[in-house]
Amino acid sequence: MLYRTYLDLLSKAAVRVGLSRCNWETSRVGRGFLWVTPHVRAQSRKTMAKSKFEYVRNFEADDTCLQNCWVVVRLDGRNFHKFADQHGFRKPNDERALRLMTKCALTVMEELNDIVVAYGQSDEYSFVFKKQSNWFKRRASKFMSHVVSQFSSSFVFYWEAYFKDQALLFPPGFDGRVVLYPSNQNLRDYLSWRQADCHINNLYNTTFWALVQQGGLSNIEAEEKLKGTIAGDKNEILFLEFDINYNNEPEIYRKGTVLIWHKVEETIDKRVRTPDAPEGKNVVVKRTRNKVLPLHVDIIGDVFWEEHSEILAEDS
């Protein structure tokens, strides 16, 4: 009774100082209470109130991506030659680094499920958003910033799982860009370009480091020997001088990594209550879900696209 009287006195005092029609809410901490006006409560549900400073939003550029186009976000490691050297990456390929990059890309796809396919090699990854995506109103800055930030944070987060004996000495950096491709053929040609780049660079690096590590040449001497050579010349050097058949090199090095969505059936144990077992019992439940599947296959030819025609489907 005394507590209610005390509240009534406080309410009258509040009216006198301009807090009429206030509501009170008992605090969950201690026995205090919090005054909340109906106006403030309604205001909290709305967006920030307008002010005279809001005009600065007019300086923001309109970066809406064109409709009915594939949105591709490609990220690249920034100054990764230095990063690789200082963290002791193996030459010509460090499978730990490639697996880590793929783990980061997989995380991006699971977080941003409008991505229909991704392709990565070396220190780069390309993410393809479906044509009809309206994610963040198709703003290019949102596509790019979310992909790059998710990838970068994942790289740091999962580093220790792949480089158990090498501490992360400093944070990595990645830059990104957004490119639109209006047709399926344009998109296929883009991904073919990136895989061709993977083959060209890996063949050169495999030959270069064989000359240095096994042939005893200096970096400058190896570079000079490879100047002006074509793919056949490099294959010949590898086979005749080092008994290396380039076609037998791991596909992850020669073809890069493609990430696609794949339906899988899972069996899980679930505890349910039934009339005959009100305390609950374990039952086996089967379910189908989409998971990201990494592949090391050719994406320049038609076979991949015929086997995974859902990627380019308009309603993908």
Side-chain angles (χ1 to χ4, degrees), residues 1 17 53 68 70 90-91 93 111 116 118 137 151 168 208 214 225 241 260 266:
M1 184 67 181
V17 297
F53 307 111
N68 297 319
W70 298 101
R90 298 161 187 160
K91 308 291 186 181
N93 292 291
E111 288 294 324
V116 293
K137 298 181 179 179
F151 193 98
L168 186 62
F208 177 90
Q214 301 177 49
K225 181 167 183 175
E241 296 188 27
I260 63 171
E266 292 183 337

Side-chain angles (χ1 to χ4, degrees), residues 10 257 298:
L10 280 178
T257 302
D298 174 72

Side-chain angles (χ1 to χ4, degrees), residues 116-119 188 191-192 195 257-261 293-312:
V116 293
V117 64
Y119 175 76
R188 282 191 55 178
L191 293 171
S192 297
Q195 188 167 63
T257 302
V258 188
L259 298 179
I260 63 171
W261 291 103
L293 177 69
L295 301 172
H296 312 294
V297 296
D298 174 72
I299 58 174
I300 297 176
D302 294 330
V303 174
F304 171 82
W305 300 102
E306 291 169 355
E307 292 179 348
H308 304 284
S309 58
E310 71 281 357
I311 295 174
L312 298 180

Side-chain angles (χ1 to χ4, degrees), residues 107-120:
T107 304
V108 171
M109 286 188 68
E110 289 177 339
E111 288 294 324
L112 313 177
N113 53 23
D114 264 8
I115 297 171
V116 293
V117 64
Y119 175 76

Side-chain angles (χ1 to χ4, degrees), residues 19-27 33-47:
L19 295 177
S20 59
R21 299 176 64 191
C22 287
N23 294 327
W24 64 274
E25 296 179 356
T26 304
S27 170
F33 53 88
L34 173 68
W35 291 98
V36 182
T37 68
H39 171 71
V40 171
R41 182 181 290 126
Q43 190 77 7
S44 66
R45 299 193 191 104
K46 298 178 181 178
T47 57

Side-chain angles (χ1 to χ4, degrees), residues 172-236:
F174 295 90
D175 64 65
R177 72 204 70 188
V178 175
V179 187
L180 306 181
Y181 294 100
S183 72
N184 291 355
Q185 190 59 53
N186 292 151
L187 178 64
R188 282 191 55 178
D189 287 346
Y190 167 78
L191 293 171
S192 297
W193 171 48
R194 299 322 305 145
Q195 188 167 63
D197 186 74
C198 172
H199 164 70
I200 293 168
N201 289 338
N202 188 66
L203 178 58
Y204 181 91
N205 289 334
T206 301
T207 311
F208 177 90
W209 287 107
L211 290 169
V212 172
Q213 295 171 345
Q214 301 177 49
L217 300 186
S218 68
N219 288 10
I220 296 177
E221 290 170 336
E223 186 176 346
E224 189 63 32
K225 181 167 183 175
L226 292 177
K227 190 176 295 183
T229 58
I230 60 175
D233 300 327
K234 297 180 183 70
N235 274 295
E236 190 173 297

